[in-house]
Amino acid sequence: MNKPTLAVAALLMAGLAHAEDAAPNADKRAVNVAVQRDGQRNQSAAAALSLPVGQHAWVQAGVGQSRSRDAASGNRYKPGQVSVGAGVAGKAWQASLNASQRRDGDALRQTDWAAAADWRPVGGVNVGVDAVKRHAKARGTLAASGAGVATPVEQRLRGHGVGVHGAVAVTPRLSVYGATMHNRYTTTTQTTSSNGGLLAGVPLLQQNRVTAINRDEAALDRSHQLGATYRVSEQVALNGEVMQDRLHDGGTLRSAQVKAAIHAGAGWTLTPGIGRSRGPQGGVNYGLLGASYAW
């Protein structure tokens, strides 16, 4: 599940709403769906449902699946994801905890925990902190340097990270936001092979197939995000953002994208967008489409 896509869709949808005196969790009754695809045929689809509980809490759940291809080995991956979460909010603060698991048969099992807390010290200003934890295991093969038979190999990854984020309403129509995250990972690889060779087909450290479409699956040592949202009218808001990630196994991923949130009436908001990312595989264009329904 691509978290930034759903998060920004919700942000844009909230920017089109007017609920000054509503309950703190009034905007949590919503369904969000999003699909993405790039020029290398990587694609992802995600859906999330959130529901308020009482006047201050909410629960949420989501499902998703992505498809990608490793440029070095030629292997294809189709991990599916499920997630659950909950949160509580006051007039000037909110906190949430989410857990997600990504799995691709026996090839990949990845569990992520994410916690966030936000404060609004003054009107138009929001600041927050983030904490994440990841535990993942992948199975692949070790390609022998000679004509030997490929040996099974298992790779494990553990790590955690902390970050900060914030947003400022510069004018009634324009707001800017940013976020940064610092992660620390350790990896171990187990194999019974005594021959030299190259790792192939192990998806944990996946620099050969990382694009903006599947960046949530990658191990990122550093992540930086900067964006702005401009409300053109009561029905349309525009969003642009740039992201830069340092991959754990070397290299960087840089992305830039623009989106439009279009209030379609009866609680619906459509979010089309385009972008371009540049990573270890080179540059690639991508498109996305999101839809949100709030009631």
Side-chain angles (χ1 to χ4, degrees):
M1 181 179 300
N2 191 289
K3 297 177 184 176
T5 299
L6 294 179
V8 172
L11 175 66
L12 293 176
M13 183 178 67
L16 292 173
H18 299 279
E20 297 289 341
D21 299 323
N25 62 355
D27 62 338
K28 303 303 182 182
R29 192 187 303 274
V31 176
N32 297 289
V33 297
V35 294
Q36 297 185 99
R37 183 180 175 90
D38 66 22
Q40 296 172 350
R41 297 185 178 180
N42 301 308
Q43 62 187 48
S44 67
L49 168 67
S50 63
L51 294 171
V53 179
Q55 295 294 310
H56 297 276
W58 73 90
V59 293
Q60 61 189 44
V63 295
Q65 185 174 53
S66 64
R67 297 185 179 185
S68 59
R69 177 180 178 275
D70 189 298
S73 66
N75 293 339
R76 296 182 181 276
Y77 303 96
K78 298 192 298 180
Q81 184 184 16
V82 295
S83 64
V84 294
V88 62
K91 289 185 177 180
W93 61 273
Q94 71 174 31
S96 63
L97 177 64
N98 295 277
S100 64
Q101 185 173 74
R102 184 175 282 107
R103 185 170 179 175
D104 187 5
D106 293 331
L108 173 67
R109 293 186 181 183
Q110 177 178 306
T111 302
D112 291 309
W113 291 87
D118 290 82
W119 297 269
R120 190 171 64 250
V122 295
V125 177
N126 181 86
V127 295
V129 295
D130 303 278
V132 297
K133 184 177 180 62
R134 172 172 292 184
H135 179 204
K137 179 176 70 174
R139 294 178 179 176
T141 58
L142 183 67
S145 56
V149 177
T151 302
V153 63
E154 182 177 279
Q155 191 174 58
R156 294 176 181 267
L157 178 144
R158 292 177 181 270
H160 61 273
V162 294
V164 295
H165 62 268
V168 177
V170 181
T171 71
R173 290 182 178 272
L174 175 65
S175 62
V176 297
Y177 61 91
T180 184
M181 178 70 72
H182 179 192
N183 300 307
R184 291 183 179 274
Y185 294 111
T186 59
T187 59
T188 58
T189 302
Q190 296 179 334
T191 177
T192 58
S193 174
S194 60
N195 300 321
L198 298 174
L199 285 175
V202 181
L204 280 179
L205 303 182
Q206 49 175 314
Q207 76 170 32
N208 291 318
R209 62 186 183 95
V210 177
T211 72
I213 302 301
N214 55 25
R215 68 183 290 272
D216 286 346
E217 303 170 23
L220 308 176
D221 285 345
R222 303 286 191 279
S223 293
H224 308 288
Q225 181 184 42
L226 183 64
T229 300
Y230 181 74
R231 193 169 70 188
V232 180
S233 67
E234 297 298 318
Q235 288 75 37
V236 179
L238 300 178
N239 171 263
E241 66 179 30
V242 293
M243 294 174 286
Q244 179 170 305
D245 306 305
R246 183 191 300 175
L247 306 179
H248 182 67
D249 52 347
T252 59
L253 174 67
R254 297 182 176 89
S255 306
Q257 61 186 24
V258 292
K259 303 177 184 179
I262 305 169
H263 182 57
W268 286 97
T269 300
L270 302 179
T271 312
I274 57 173
R276 181 173 178 80
S277 67
R278 176 171 291 276
Q281 294 192 78
V284 60
N285 297 324
Y286 62 93
L288 58 94
L289 178 63
S292 301
Y293 176 68
W295 70 99

